[in-house]
Amino acid sequence: MVVSLETLTTRSINRLGAVHPSLKEYTIELIKRSYNEGILVQISSGFRSNEDQAYIYGQGRPNYIWNGKVYGSKGSIVSNAPPGTSIHNYGLAIDYFLVSDDGNNSLWTVNDKWRRVAVIAKSMGFEWGGDWKSFKDYPHLQYNKGLTIAQLKAGHRPVFLPLKAIESVTNDKIMWGKTELKPGQIGKVTILKRINLWQDGPNGKLQMVRVLNPGEEYRVYRYREDHEGQYNVGGGMWVTKMDGFVKYETPSKAMLAKLNSK
């Protein structure tokens, strides 16, 4: 059973803390828009006090001292922002991760779904840490709209547009990776190695159309056992089932439910 949107939202709200009220609304909307595309998002962190930030900054810096107290610990460095210099300290940032379909397992692999969440967030005005050049922070999203730390310390805050004024990237299309989910589609194939695209020819023989390249994705409308198994990708075209050359996936229940409701 797929975890409910209510469960993901409730868990996330409990971890947001004292973020800006509008950021809370935006975050809930981000979770909802992602869920409508079959992507299960949960928030791991929101507002942080300076002391919270000191502990995080101290990770990987065993000798770090702030305000006369040792906050350092062993391990890998996870932040380059000392207390008071993180957007989290001003209630304008969140960290996210994905969960399994049942909601019981945390998923931290930065894959197509993870990046899709970032695309949706950026369409709402967020900045994504995965776009940074010097220190990539893939779970991080912030909404400071160019305001500097000095300006935030002085009390300035960004303008949040009403949610209804933000154009949604998900209103008309249900994106699944690089492709849009369409009625009648049963799955998709991702090309892993160069492989031929075929069409049916005379007397049941196949005719080669062209070569497909790694990274390309195609909708699958049906499967047949002929020719050692083939996926129909529309227009009478077929991709042969070959381990290591193609990856076949089926859409999640949440995505199908959203498609069927349109």
PDB file of all heavy atoms in Angstrom, residues 6-20:
ATOM      1  N   GLU A   6      -1.216  12.533   3.328  1.00  0.00           N
ATOM      2  CA  GLU A   6      -1.404  13.065   4.685  1.00  0.00           C
ATOM      3  C   GLU A   6      -0.270  12.648   5.604  1.00  0.00           C
ATOM      4  O   GLU A   6       0.233  13.445   6.407  1.00  0.00           O
ATOM      5  CB  GLU A   6      -2.743  12.589   5.240  1.00  0.00           C
ATOM      6  CG  GLU A   6      -3.037  13.115   6.643  1.00  0.00           C
ATOM      7  CD  GLU A   6      -4.352  12.606   7.215  1.00  0.00           C
ATOM      8  OE1 GLU A   6      -5.021  11.798   6.528  1.00  0.00           O
ATOM      9  OE2 GLU A   6      -4.698  13.014   8.330  1.00  0.00           O
ATOM     10  N   THR A   7       0.162  11.394   5.494  1.00  0.00           N
ATOM     11  CA  THR A   7       1.255  10.905   6.338  1.00  0.00           C
ATOM     12  C   THR A   7       2.546  11.642   6.035  1.00  0.00           C
ATOM     13  O   THR A   7       3.260  12.086   6.953  1.00  0.00           O
ATOM     14  CB  THR A   7       1.459   9.395   6.132  1.00  0.00           C
ATOM     15  OG1 THR A   7       0.297   8.700   6.569  1.00  0.00           O
ATOM     16  CG2 THR A   7       2.666   8.896   6.917  1.00  0.00           C
ATOM     17  N   LEU A   8       2.873  11.798   4.760  1.00  0.00           N
ATOM     18  CA  LEU A   8       4.098  12.505   4.377  1.00  0.00           C
ATOM     19  C   LEU A   8       4.058  13.956   4.838  1.00  0.00           C
ATOM     20  O   LEU A   8       5.061  14.493   5.325  1.00  0.00           O
ATOM     21  CB  LEU A   8       4.287  12.444   2.863  1.00  0.00           C
ATOM     22  CG  LEU A   8       4.534  11.062   2.257  1.00  0.00           C
ATOM     23  CD1 LEU A   8       4.607  11.164   0.735  1.00  0.00           C
ATOM     24  CD2 LEU A   8       5.805  10.446   2.804  1.00  0.00           C
ATOM     25  N   THR A   9       2.900  14.585   4.705  1.00  0.00           N
ATOM     26  CA  THR A   9       2.753  15.980   5.109  1.00  0.00           C
ATOM     27  C   THR A   9       2.894  16.134   6.618  1.00  0.00           C
ATOM     28  O   THR A   9       3.601  17.030   7.103  1.00  0.00           O
ATOM     29  CB  THR A   9       1.395  16.531   4.649  1.00  0.00           C
ATOM     30  OG1 THR A   9       1.279  16.400   3.223  1.00  0.00           O
ATOM     31  CG2 THR A   9       1.246  17.991   5.027  1.00  0.00           C
ATOM     32  N   THR A  10       2.238  15.257   7.366  1.00  0.00           N
ATOM     33  CA  THR A  10       2.298  15.336   8.832  1.00  0.00           C
ATOM     34  C   THR A  10       3.721  15.129   9.331  1.00  0.00           C
ATOM     35  O   THR A  10       4.207  15.879  10.192  1.00  0.00           O
ATOM     36  CB  THR A  10       1.371  14.282   9.462  1.00  0.00           C
ATOM     37  OG1 THR A  10       0.025  14.527   9.043  1.00  0.00           O
ATOM     38  CG2 THR A  10       1.438  14.335  10.985  1.00  0.00           C
ATOM     39  N   ARG A  11       4.391  14.117   8.820  1.00  0.00           N
ATOM     40  CA  ARG A  11       5.783  13.872   9.219  1.00  0.00           C
ATOM     41  C   ARG A  11       6.654  15.091   8.929  1.00  0.00           C
ATOM     42  O   ARG A  11       7.500  15.479   9.748  1.00  0.00           O
ATOM     43  CB  ARG A  11       6.339  12.670   8.457  1.00  0.00           C
ATOM     44  CG  ARG A  11       5.769  11.315   8.848  1.00  0.00           C
ATOM     45  CD  ARG A  11       6.386  10.265   7.941  1.00  0.00           C
ATOM     46  NE  ARG A  11       5.891   8.920   8.209  1.00  0.00           N
ATOM     47  CZ  ARG A  11       6.216   7.850   7.469  1.00  0.00           C
ATOM     48  NH1 ARG A  11       7.036   8.006   6.432  1.00  0.00           N
ATOM     49  NH2 ARG A  11       5.736   6.661   7.765  1.00  0.00           N
ATOM     50  N   SER A  12       6.450  15.684   7.771  1.00  0.00           N
ATOM     51  CA  SER A  12       7.279  16.809   7.361  1.00  0.00           C
ATOM     52  C   SER A  12       7.021  18.050   8.208  1.00  0.00           C
ATOM     53  O   SER A  12       7.959  18.749   8.606  1.00  0.00           O
ATOM     54  CB  SER A  12       7.032  17.123   5.879  1.00  0.00           C
ATOM     55  OG  SER A  12       7.412  16.025   5.067  1.00  0.00           O
ATOM     56  N   ILE A  13       5.766  18.335   8.495  1.00  0.00           N
ATOM     57  CA  ILE A  13       5.428  19.486   9.325  1.00  0.00           C
ATOM     58  C   ILE A  13       6.088  19.364  10.698  1.00  0.00           C
ATOM     59  O   ILE A  13       6.573  20.350  11.263  1.00  0.00           O
ATOM     60  CB  ILE A  13       3.897  19.618   9.463  1.00  0.00           C
ATOM     61  CG1 ILE A  13       3.285  20.064   8.129  1.00  0.00           C
ATOM     62  CG2 ILE A  13       3.532  20.617  10.560  1.00  0.00           C
ATOM     63  CD1 ILE A  13       1.778  20.092   8.115  1.00  0.00           C
ATOM     64  N   ASN A  14       6.122  18.147  11.224  1.00  0.00           N
ATOM     65  CA  ASN A  14       6.736  17.917  12.530  1.00  0.00           C
ATOM     66  C   ASN A  14       8.229  18.224  12.533  1.00  0.00           C
ATOM     67  O   ASN A  14       8.817  18.462  13.599  1.00  0.00           O
ATOM     68  CB  ASN A  14       6.518  16.473  12.973  1.00  0.00           C
ATOM     69  CG  ASN A  14       5.071  16.183  13.335  1.00  0.00           C
ATOM     70  OD1 ASN A  14       4.311  17.102  13.646  1.00  0.00           O
ATOM     71  ND2 ASN A  14       4.673  14.922  13.284  1.00  0.00           N
ATOM     72  N   ARG A  15       8.854  18.209  11.341  1.00  0.00           N
ATOM     73  CA  ARG A  15      10.294  18.451  11.258  1.00  0.00           C
ATOM     74  C   ARG A  15      10.629  19.860  10.767  1.00  0.00           C
ATOM     75  O   ARG A  15      11.807  20.227  10.737  1.00  0.00           O
ATOM     76  CB  ARG A  15      10.940  17.424  10.332  1.00  0.00           C
ATOM     77  CG  ARG A  15      10.803  16.000  10.844  1.00  0.00           C
ATOM     78  CD  ARG A  15      11.570  15.021   9.991  1.00  0.00           C
ATOM     79  NE  ARG A  15      11.433  13.658  10.473  1.00  0.00           N
ATOM     80  CZ  ARG A  15      12.128  12.622  10.011  1.00  0.00           C
ATOM     81  NH1 ARG A  15      13.006  12.794   9.049  1.00  0.00           N
ATOM     82  NH2 ARG A  15      11.941  11.407  10.496  1.00  0.00           N
ATOM     83  N   LEU A  16       9.633  20.613  10.370  1.00  0.00           N
ATOM     84  CA  LEU A  16       9.896  21.949   9.843  1.00  0.00           C
ATOM     85  C   LEU A  16      10.322  22.934  10.922  1.00  0.00           C
ATOM     86  O   LEU A  16      11.152  23.808  10.687  1.00  0.00           O
ATOM     87  CB  LEU A  16       8.651  22.483   9.130  1.00  0.00           C
ATOM     88  CG  LEU A  16       8.366  21.958   7.734  1.00  0.00           C
ATOM     89  CD1 LEU A  16       7.061  22.541   7.220  1.00  0.00           C
ATOM     90  CD2 LEU A  16       9.506  22.273   6.783  1.00  0.00           C
ATOM     91  N   GLY A  17       9.735  22.820  12.107  1.00  0.00           N
ATOM     92  CA  GLY A  17      10.033  23.770  13.154  1.00  0.00           C
ATOM     93  C   GLY A  17       9.494  25.152  12.828  1.00  0.00           C
ATOM     94  O   GLY A  17       8.527  25.305  12.071  1.00  0.00           O
ATOM     95  N   ALA A  18      10.145  26.184  13.364  1.00  0.00           N
ATOM     96  CA  ALA A  18       9.638  27.556  13.244  1.00  0.00           C
ATOM     97  C   ALA A  18      10.080  28.222  11.942  1.00  0.00           C
ATOM     98  O   ALA A  18      10.701  29.291  11.948  1.00  0.00           O
ATOM     99  CB  ALA A  18      10.102  28.376  14.439  1.00  0.00           C
ATOM    100  N   VAL A  19       9.730  27.607  10.806  1.00  0.00           N
ATOM    101  CA  VAL A  19      10.045  28.234   9.520  1.00  0.00           C
ATOM    102  C   VAL A  19       9.069  29.377   9.257  1.00  0.00           C
ATOM    103  O   VAL A  19       8.042  29.505   9.926  1.00  0.00           O
ATOM    104  CB  VAL A  19       9.981  27.210   8.361  1.00  0.00           C
ATOM    105  CG1 VAL A  19      11.043  26.138   8.525  1.00  0.00           C
ATOM    106  CG2 VAL A  19       8.593  26.599   8.252  1.00  0.00           C
ATOM    107  N   HIS A  20       9.384  30.185   8.267  1.00  0.00           N
ATOM    108  CA  HIS A  20       8.483  31.255   7.848  1.00  0.00           C
ATOM    109  C   HIS A  20       7.131  30.626   7.489  1.00  0.00           C
ATOM    110  O   HIS A  20       7.082  29.603   6.804  1.00  0.00           O
ATOM    111  CB  HIS A  20       9.087  31.959   6.633  1.00  0.00           C
ATOM    112  CG  HIS A  20       8.399  33.212   6.231  1.00  0.00           C
ATOM    113  ND1 HIS A  20       7.130  33.230   5.671  1.00  0.00           N
ATOM    114  CD2 HIS A  20       8.801  34.519   6.297  1.00  0.00           C
ATOM    115  CE1 HIS A  20       6.789  34.474   5.408  1.00  0.00           C
ATOM    116  NE2 HIS A  20       7.773  35.280   5.779  1.00  0.00           N
TER     117      HIS A  20
END
